[in-house]
Amino acid sequence: NPPMGSNFLCVLHAQVSAPVFLYLPGIMVFHKEFQNAGKEPGLQIWRIEKMDLKPVPKQLLGNFFTGDAYVVLHTTSAPSYNVHMWLGNECSQDEGGAAAIFAMQLDDHLGGAPVQYREVQNNESVTFLGYFKTGIKYKQGGVASGFQHVVTNDMNVKRLLHIKGRRAIRATEVNMSWASFNRGDCFIIDLGKDIYQWCGSDCNRFEQLKASEVAIGIRDNERNGRASLHMVEDGAEPEAALGCKPNIPAGSPDDETTDRSNQKKGTLYMVSDAAGSMKTSLVAQSSPFKQEMLTPTECYILDNGVDSKIFLWKGPNANTEERKAAMKVAEQYIKDKNYPKNTQVSDLDPASGGETTLFKQFFSNWKDKDQTTGPGQAYSIGRIAKVSQVPFDASSLHSNKTMAAQHGMVDDGSGKVQIWRVEGGDKVPVDPSSNGQFYGGDCYLILYTYRQGSREQHIIYTWQGLKCTQDELAASAFLTVKLDDSMGGSPVQVRVTQGQEPAHLMSLFKGKPMIIHMGGTSRKGGQSQTGNTRLFQIRQSSTRATRAVEVEPTASKLNTNDVFVLKCPDGLFLWKGVAASEEEMAAAKHVCSFLGGSATDISEGKEPAGFWSALGGKKDYQTSKSLQKTVKPPRLFGCSNKTGRLIADEVPGDFTQSDLATDDVMLLDTWDQIFVWIGNDANEVERNGADKIAKDYVDSDPSGRRGTPVITVKQGFEPPTFTGWFQAWDAKMWDTDPLDRIRAEILAD
């Protein structure tokens, strides 16, 4: 007679002090609490109570008793699902085991589609923390001590919450005593009818702002708006609550024991049930890995233990025993490696598109379903997609910031263009007649001027060729800063590596393709000898701008989605891939006219022998068509290199404009490009080191990503390509200090 009223569990009472659960995977009977699980987008949380499930009231989502275990389900509109098993520091082994069984059952109930996570108090994943924008609140006790998740409007509460964190906010219940305080953090004194927010004298304004969000959440959710909120300065505390105030110690520095420059190193192991027991065998010692290392018939552990993370990848054709035992294998692996018990575990099922961005970044060549290759990659992340592609329409570009952001277009490219080439430590104007042609042996500065409403805006593109010298690279960076300073520091700076040109830069040349030569230089008397055989790849961006990039003249560089121009001693060939567009053909004809000679049109599959001979023989090339075009979810980080090394803390969940800390340098990673946002109150070390922060971030990417365009923007001068990634951007948000605004609202209540 199982306590859940279902027959999927057998509870055996033998010579043991606690029930023993046997999971029978062939019997698909689910707990009644899961009947409505995942039917609507949002968050659902259940607590383990006497080996049964009890839902947590919506008003109290984000409150966790430290002596309990929970099952958390997050559903998106895609739909996609994340199932989390959360364990408090004082929860029992039995409760933890029950949470694991219920999480597995919920996964089965949702058809195996969820990504599963194992969460431990104070070490939750960024994904988990993102569900609670006003912070997680840890409450002392648990169900065994009689503490319940009940909304009672009880005004006799008396507790002290310690607020910690800038990106992910945690409110931990501590002893109601002055001994719990320090000057570096914020605290909330909750007396039921009155809620006091106290911030130490060493707190910065952004930390105070986040503490205010927690206090407001307690008032509005736990007290249904019936409590009074007070902001108390250090030295003006309510003595009735804590008595006479002693000297308060300084705050302890945040824990930065993990070197973030190494946080993404990983090791890959295969899991098998050979000889009747689960064993692991080494596949690759360190990332980046190759996607081909993952065999569909096997399960794998990706060990990112240096950052307290373990990933489980379950091959879609792996046997049932391996797939079902994956989480248990991971927990045993953690014990065998002597990793801390708070190590996070993510259980990924590729059959439902379950690989997360954090997992895929460990692979240098990860390709999702229907992804093509080469410049202008398309991404598809299946059922876990959060961001859908907005079709490009130049006529509505100014009114649609999401479109501007996804396509990287501040306008249609019709503004004023000035181009200089870096020579001898200075910039030399480029003849306008050759605008649009770039050589790999040079560096260029492109100043673009356009209007946004009544305001004149500027972008400085710094284009760096792959064959330019180190002196020219350094000079291009120096000249960019000098040009920026001469214009009052308002321009947006975009650093571009050859072959990684953003769509907007490609659109600046009055309908002509941007032509990029593999080597040589455009300076007078400095041109290097071009090869007898040259191959140009012509590809159209999502904005219909085109680029012609010179590539190695070999058949393996061909792509069925593009047009190629081949110039060789025997003639000039124009090769059209099956999935190429007419706009790409028109751009290719322009390249042919530049190269000189009459071109012979060739359709894919009908190539003459001379074509293959010129390319050194026929070889395999990319033949899959691009069927879907979606964008990867953007990620926002708060960055610092004050200590001499890069520290990047990710902002959890769906970020908003208020997550941009004005005393920080922030990094927005949209995969195709990286934005470095400089807050007005960022210190000089961070402001001057912003470019290095971006470089260190890309260099530490375990996927080996290189050459990604880096865009530097300043607070108050954000282009629509940046603001479009944020929901409801408010251009006037910083006209008034957000903390002063909250204080005024509290005083007005």
Side-chain angles (χ1 to χ4, degrees):
N1 187 22
M4 281 139 305
S6 68
N7 64 351
F8 97 103
L9 290 175
C10 293
V11 184
L12 305 182
H13 291 277
Q15 300 303 315
V16 292
S17 58
V20 177
F21 291 89
L22 295 180
Y23 176 55
L24 306 179
I27 302 176
M28 301 296 287
V29 180
F30 303 108
H31 196 286
K32 62 182 183 299
E33 284 295 337
F34 292 154
Q35 291 177 357
N36 296 316
K39 290 188 176 180
E40 294 182 1
L43 200 61
Q44 294 170 274
I45 302 179
W46 298 268
R47 181 169 69 156
I48 308 301
E49 297 187 8
K50 299 179 180 178
M51 305 305 160
D52 200 357
L53 282 177
K54 295 294 182 182
V56 175
K58 287 187 178 296
Q59 301 97 311
L60 299 180
L61 297 185
N63 289 267
F64 294 89
F65 285 108
T66 60
D68 290 330
Y70 295 78
V71 175
V72 178
L73 171 65
H74 183 259
T75 306
T76 71
S77 57
S80 67
Y81 312 100
N82 288 335
V83 173
H84 303 259
M85 173 182 65
W86 186 91
L87 307 177
N89 285 343
E90 286 86 37
C91 84
S92 69
Q93 185 175 350
D94 291 336
E95 288 172 326
I101 291 174
F102 282 123
M104 189 181 300
Q105 187 193 14
L106 180 55
D107 185 285
D108 284 342
H109 178 63
L110 296 171
V115 176
Q116 286 192 48
Y117 298 83
R118 175 181 177 271
E119 311 284 357
V120 179
Q121 179 184 337
N122 288 312
N123 290 275
E124 295 86 356
S125 65
V126 171
T127 301
F128 186 85
L129 294 170
Y131 306 146
F132 310 101
K133 297 301 286 186
T134 58
I136 289 179
K137 304 171 191 69
Y138 298 131
K139 293 186 172 183
Q140 294 176 344
V143 65
S145 306
F147 291 92
Q148 299 294 321
H149 283 288
V150 180
V151 182
T152 63
N153 292 324
D154 183 6
M155 294 301 180
N156 296 318
V157 176
K158 187 175 182 181
R159 62 176 177 168
L160 178 64
L161 297 176
H162 181 187
I163 312 301
K164 195 74 175 175
R166 286 169 61 83
R167 321 293 171 202
I169 309 301
R170 292 180 172 88
T172 305
E173 187 173 350
V174 294
N175 291 332
M176 181 72 85
S177 165
W178 282 117
S180 300
F181 283 71
N182 69 73
R183 297 197 305 272
D185 292 328
C186 295
F187 294 79
I188 292 175
I189 307 167
D190 183 2
L191 302 181
K193 292 187 293 185
D194 293 287
I195 302 170
Y196 297 89
Q197 177 187 331
W198 181 96
C199 294
S201 55
D202 297 336
C203 289
N204 62 53
R205 297 181 69 80
F206 191 74
E207 291 171 329
Q208 295 179 46
L209 179 63
K210 290 299 180 180
S212 296
E213 293 176 0
V214 177
I216 291 171
I218 294 172
R219 179 195 65 186
D220 295 346
N221 296 322
E222 297 187 33
R223 303 294 138 70
N224 290 328
R226 296 184 180 182
S228 297
L229 192 57
H230 313 273
M231 298 189 76
V232 180
E233 299 293 337
D234 191 350
E237 301 81 6
E239 289 191 15
L242 299 170
C244 184
K245 177 186 175 184
N247 291 327
I248 302 296
S252 58
D254 289 336
D255 183 14
E256 296 174 357
T257 57
T258 300
D259 185 344
R260 298 289 179 162
S261 65
N262 291 322
Q263 73 173 39
K264 297 174 182 175
K265 296 295 188 294
T267 305
L268 187 64
Y269 295 88
M270 184 173 70
V271 179
S272 65
D273 61 349
S277 61
M278 294 294 176
K279 302 291 184 182
T280 60
S281 57
L282 180 66
V283 176
Q285 186 64 49
S286 62
S287 58
F289 311 121
K290 298 292 185 182
Q291 190 175 5
E292 298 79 44
M293 294 176 179
L294 301 176
T295 304
T297 57
E298 303 292 346
C299 295
Y300 295 83
I301 287 177
L302 196 162
D303 181 353
N304 183 214
V306 71
D307 195 34
S308 296
K309 289 183 175 66
I310 298 293
F311 298 90
L312 286 171
W313 187 88
K314 300 182 296 190
N317 301 326
N319 68 55
T320 303
E321 288 73 20
E322 288 179 349
R323 292 170 60 82
K324 289 296 183 184
M327 186 63 76
K328 182 179 290 187
V329 171
E331 292 186 345
Q332 184 60 46
Y333 178 87
I334 290 171
K335 293 178 182 177
D336 293 343
K337 289 286 186 179
N338 291 319
Y339 287 159
K341 70 173 186 177
N342 57 26
T343 300
Q344 298 168 12
V345 178
S346 300
D347 189 356
L348 312 176
D349 189 346
S352 57
E355 294 102 341
T356 63
T357 301
L358 289 175
F359 174 79
K360 289 186 284 190
Q361 68 182 349
F362 288 91
F363 295 82
S364 61
N365 66 334
W366 190 275
K367 295 182 180 66
D368 295 296
K369 182 183 178 183
D370 302 328
Q371 177 179 322
T372 185
T373 61
Q377 291 177 329
Y379 298 96
S380 172
I381 49 179
R383 297 179 65 182
I384 61 170
K386 292 183 179 179
V387 186
S388 57
Q389 180 77 40
V390 179
F392 182 73
D393 178 7
S395 64
S396 60
L397 188 60
H398 292 291
S399 59
N400 191 332
K401 289 184 178 180
T402 300
M403 181 193 301
Q406 288 190 5
H407 296 279
M409 300 289 288
V410 297
D411 68 353
D412 59 3
S414 59
K416 182 181 178 182
V417 179
Q418 294 173 270
I419 304 178
W420 297 269
R421 182 177 54 252
V422 176
E423 286 188 31
D426 204 352
K427 62 183 196 296
V428 177
V430 170
D431 187 339
S433 64
S434 62
N435 280 5
Q437 293 196 45
F438 296 82
Y439 290 78
D442 286 333
C443 289
Y444 299 83
L445 267 63
I446 304 105
L447 175 62
Y448 181 70
T449 304
Y450 67 103
R451 301 201 73 84
Q452 188 175 354
S454 60
R455 191 174 180 180
E456 190 173 75
Q457 304 277 42
H458 307 279
I459 300 174
I460 302 173
Y461 289 102
T462 307
W463 189 92
Q464 299 173 334
L466 295 177
K467 298 292 182 67
C468 68
T469 66
Q470 288 296 319
D471 288 343
E472 287 177 332
L473 283 174
S476 67
F478 170 77
L479 291 171
T480 298
V481 173
K482 187 176 179 180
L483 179 59
D484 184 284
D485 289 343
S486 71
M487 304 181 73
S490 63
V492 171
Q493 296 180 27
V494 184
R495 188 183 72 228
V496 180
T497 301
Q498 177 182 344
Q500 301 287 335
E501 294 77 14
H504 186 258
L505 177 57
M506 294 162 57
S507 73
L508 304 186
F509 307 109
K510 314 307 177 189
K512 296 179 181 179
M514 182 179 186
I515 300 177
I516 302 165
H517 301 267
M518 184 181 291
T521 173
S522 60
R523 67 191 64 180
K524 291 182 179 180
Q527 288 89 347
S528 61
Q529 187 68 34
T530 57
N532 291 328
T533 302
R534 306 179 71 188
L535 183 65
F536 287 83
Q537 179 182 20
I538 290 84
R539 171 165 286 185
Q540 183 182 42
S541 74
S542 60
T543 65
R544 292 185 285 278
T546 51
R547 170 180 53 188
V549 181
E550 186 176 3
V551 297
E552 183 184 353
T554 176
S556 62
K557 294 294 184 180
L558 298 176
N559 190 310
T560 196
N561 298 283
D562 302 324
V563 175
F564 287 78
V565 173
L566 173 65
K567 182 177 176 59
C568 60
D570 294 334
L572 188 64
F573 298 96
L574 194 160
W575 182 90
K576 182 183 179 183
V578 171
S581 68
E582 290 304 317
E583 289 87 351
E584 288 169 337
M585 282 292 290
K589 292 183 183 299
H590 176 79
V591 175
C592 290
S593 66
F594 166 76
L595 293 174
S598 177
T600 301
D601 289 0
I602 299 174
S603 296
E604 183 179 4
K606 299 179 180 180
E607 300 87 354
F611 176 81
W612 295 120
S613 177
L615 291 174
K618 191 172 183 179
K619 299 176 184 176
D620 291 337
Y621 61 87
Q622 173 58 252
T623 57
S624 64
K625 300 177 185 178
S626 174
L627 302 178
Q628 294 180 340
K629 289 188 176 180
T630 61
V631 291
K632 286 196 174 184
R635 302 173 67 192
L636 182 66
F637 299 82
C639 298
S640 172
N641 61 356
K642 300 183 185 76
T643 61
R645 64 170 192 250
L646 172 70
I647 297 172
D649 294 320
E650 185 166 3
V651 174
D654 297 328
F655 53 79
T656 65
Q657 186 180 358
S658 62
D659 289 313
L660 295 171
T662 59
D663 60 344
D664 267 347
V665 168
M666 307 291 293
L667 190 148
L668 176 64
D669 182 0
T670 66
W671 187 259
D672 291 320
Q673 53 192 6
I674 290 172
F675 292 89
V676 177
W677 181 88
I678 302 176
N680 287 340
D681 300 322
N683 64 40
E684 286 302 311
V685 173
E686 291 172 330
R687 296 172 71 89
N688 295 334
D691 191 64
K692 185 178 185 302
I693 286 176
K695 182 180 184 302
D696 290 346
Y697 173 79
V698 175
D699 288 347
S700 67
D701 192 324
S703 70
R705 178 168 39 151
R706 297 290 184 271
T708 307
V710 176
I711 303 168
T712 304
V713 300
K714 294 92 172 178
Q715 180 183 338
F717 296 94
E718 298 86 359
T721 48
F722 178 83
T723 62
W725 293 106
F726 294 78
Q727 293 286 336
W729 182 271
D730 180 5
K732 298 182 179 180
M733 177 175 175
W734 293 301
D735 290 352
T736 304
D737 186 286
L739 187 59
D740 290 340
R741 187 165 57 246
I742 285 181
R743 283 175 170 164
E745 291 173 0
I746 290 173
L747 289 173
D749 286 344

